[in-house]
Amino acid sequence: MKLLLRQRFFSWFDSYDIYDEAGNTVYVVKGEFSMGHRLQIYDPVGTPLGRIQERVLTFLPKFELYAGEQYIGELRKEFSLFRPRFRLDCFGWQIEGNFIEWDYTVTSGDRTVMRLNREPLNWTDTYVMEIAKPSEALYCLMIVLAIDAAKCSRS
């Protein structure tokens, strides 16, 4: 399953539209006013599905992930000099990024859960997500949003 995540060009808060391979809207993400990043994920008809909430007053960015109101885990940036490092406390998954912070792979043991590639030369942040199991798409989307918010927090 492939999803395209595209940040909206004109919005006061972070807002994204997520499309499937046929160009249909699968998820809508809207940023909300709060201390730190707070992103709410909706289905195309507006039903809330999950959220990402940044913890404030931390040395490095940390994000709590919620499916509905259920806490499912945390993604936090770790200190590193050359390669982006994130610790993912969610389902026993691991995350690995490349040097330029454009490509990431999420794994569970030997299984690849998701590959994430940032598309260059776009006006806004645009990512392609290749997800092995469609049932894990929402969780993968949360990870991508948290990574993008962490990069934004650092800037």
Side-chain angles (χ1 to χ4, degrees), residues 2-130:
K2 279 190 180 182
L3 295 179
L4 177 71
L5 181 144
R6 183 170 290 146
Q7 186 174 26
R8 291 184 187 164
F9 190 70
F10 292 109
S11 66
W12 289 104
F13 301 105
D14 292 331
S15 295
Y16 304 84
D17 294 310
I18 295 80
Y19 305 97
D20 63 13
E21 294 176 81
N24 301 311
T25 301
V26 180
Y27 300 104
V28 176
V29 178
K30 296 180 182 177
E32 297 178 349
F33 180 74
S34 73
M35 294 294 289
H37 288 88
R38 181 181 168 101
L39 302 169
Q40 188 75 37
I41 303 168
Y42 300 93
D43 69 8
V45 296
T47 305
L49 301 174
R51 77 173 187 276
I52 295 92
Q53 176 70 50
E54 182 177 12
R55 282 192 185 165
V56 293
L57 304 175
T58 59
F59 178 66
L60 293 170
K62 293 181 182 179
F63 297 88
E64 295 175 342
L65 311 175
Y66 294 87
E69 292 300 316
Q70 180 182 0
Y71 174 82
I72 61 164
E74 176 182 79
L75 180 124
R76 59 183 173 260
K77 180 90 166 98
E78 292 185 330
F79 180 76
S80 64
L81 295 176
F82 300 109
R83 181 178 271 224
R85 293 187 52 102
F86 291 94
R87 176 180 292 276
L88 181 60
D89 294 329
C90 178
F91 306 124
W93 294 355
Q94 294 84 38
I95 186 166
E96 184 77 29
N98 74 348
F99 177 72
I100 57 174
E101 298 187 67
W102 281 11
D103 300 324
Y104 293 87
T105 303
V106 177
T107 58
S108 177
D110 293 338
R111 180 177 75 91
T112 299
V113 175
M114 173 185 65
R115 292 188 196 283
L116 173 68
N117 301 301
R118 184 170 186 250
E119 289 190 339
L121 306 174
N122 285 298
W123 287 100
T124 61
D125 288 341
T126 303
Y127 297 95
V128 175
M129 302 165 50
E130 294 181 43

Side-chain angles (χ1 to χ4, degrees), residues 116-154:
L116 173 68
N117 301 301
R118 184 170 186 250
E119 289 190 339
L121 306 174
N122 285 298
W123 287 100
T124 61
D125 288 341
T126 303
Y127 297 95
V128 175
M129 302 165 50
E130 294 181 43
I131 302 164
K133 294 182 179 179
S135 61
E136 298 173 337
L138 177 63
Y139 309 128
C140 292
L141 174 60
M142 290 182 195
I143 293 166
V144 174
L145 293 168
I147 289 171
D148 190 59
K151 289 166 55 174
C152 185
S153 291
R154 189 182 67 224

